[in-house]
Amino acid sequence: MDMAIQGNQKIQEAIALDNMAMVYQDKHDYTNAMKYFVQALKIRDGVKDEAGIATSKNNIGRIFFIQEDVASALDNLNKALGIRQKINDKVGAAVTNKNLGEVYLLKGCIGKAKAHYDKSMNLYLELNQIDQAADLANYLGQIMKEVNDYEGALAYYRMSLDFNRSLGNVSRIGSDYNNIALA
């Protein structure tokens, strides 16, 4: 069998394993989710699929995050981010930066969390995914408000408002005005 065809079949097998893992993750069965994500990673390692390896590392990092194993989550997510930056996968880097922000927030490292959320938001803007950028701006506003940085919160809420205005998203515009008033 042609090596390219065999490699493609292996990649498809890894995707199927990811899908199986997601089903278990949705059922909060993290042991089986991890098992399938690790199997997918082994296949991707075998065929040297860098984008797939990054996806697997990101997925494994998310499971560790859900289980509040911060060190293992950071290890896997940082490896995923490194690969995604190396191969210039901006969509993947945006996702992984957001995930890293969540881990640092859980750890109580507000500055590092904010830095990763900002990187994610900027990548979404670069990719013209304004709705994702608006969500992150709003979330950053909430974080700043929780740490009593009201000026920072207002800046992010106004940014979210600008993004949502450009999208014409009336319900989110209303929510942004509410957040600005509360801050």
Side-chain angles (χ1 to χ4, degrees):
M1 182 182 292
D2 184 312
M3 291 298 279
I5 292 172
Q6 189 175 12
N8 192 40
Q9 286 176 338
K10 289 289 187 186
I11 291 170
Q12 293 303 314
E13 184 180 340
I15 291 169
L17 289 167
D18 279 344
N19 291 335
M20 204 55 182
M22 294 290 189
V23 169
Y24 282 110
Q25 181 178 324
D26 289 345
K27 292 180 179 183
H28 305 284
D29 181 349
Y30 304 121
T31 302
N32 278 314
M34 183 68 82
K35 179 178 85 173
Y36 285 107
F37 282 140
V38 169
Q39 286 177 8
L41 174 60
K42 287 178 183 174
I43 290 169
R44 289 171 167 141
D45 273 336
V47 295
K48 310 265 187 275
D49 174 19
E50 284 189 287
I53 292 168
T55 296
S56 289
K57 289 287 187 183
N58 186 80
N59 291 339
I60 290 167
R62 288 285 306 158
I63 294 293
F64 280 125
F65 165 72
I66 291 167
Q67 296 177 318
E68 297 185 14
D69 180 346
V70 172
S72 298
L74 287 173
D75 179 54
N76 282 279
L77 291 169
N78 279 314
K79 286 177 182 170
L81 183 59
I83 294 167
R84 287 178 163 172
Q85 289 171 332
K86 177 182 154 195
I87 63 173
N88 200 30
D89 175 7
K90 291 180 182 180
V91 173
V95 169
T96 301
N97 270 302
K98 182 177 183 276
N99 291 337
L100 280 162
E102 291 173 351
V103 175
Y104 281 117
L105 193 59
L106 174 69
K107 192 175 176 184
C109 300
I110 303 300
K112 285 185 177 184
K114 183 182 170 300
H116 282 285
Y117 285 129
D118 277 330
K119 287 177 187 175
S120 180
M121 182 177 62
N122 289 330
L123 284 166
Y124 281 127
L125 286 172
E126 193 177 321
L127 296 163
N128 204 32
Q129 293 183 14
I130 308 302
D131 56 333
Q132 297 286 348
D135 286 345
L136 281 164
N138 185 302
Y139 192 60
L140 280 159
Q142 291 172 17
I143 292 168
M144 295 296 98
K145 186 176 159 196
E146 286 177 23
V147 298
N148 299 321
D149 179 354
Y150 298 107
E151 289 302 316
L154 283 171
Y156 282 112
Y157 287 144
R158 287 180 181 130
M159 192 180 301
S160 178
L161 176 63
D162 289 342
F163 296 151
N164 286 317
R165 277 185 181 151
S166 74
L167 296 170
N169 190 328
V170 177
S171 65
R172 285 185 172 183
I173 291 169
S175 178
D176 289 331
Y177 276 121
N178 186 55
N179 287 333
I180 289 167
L182 292 173

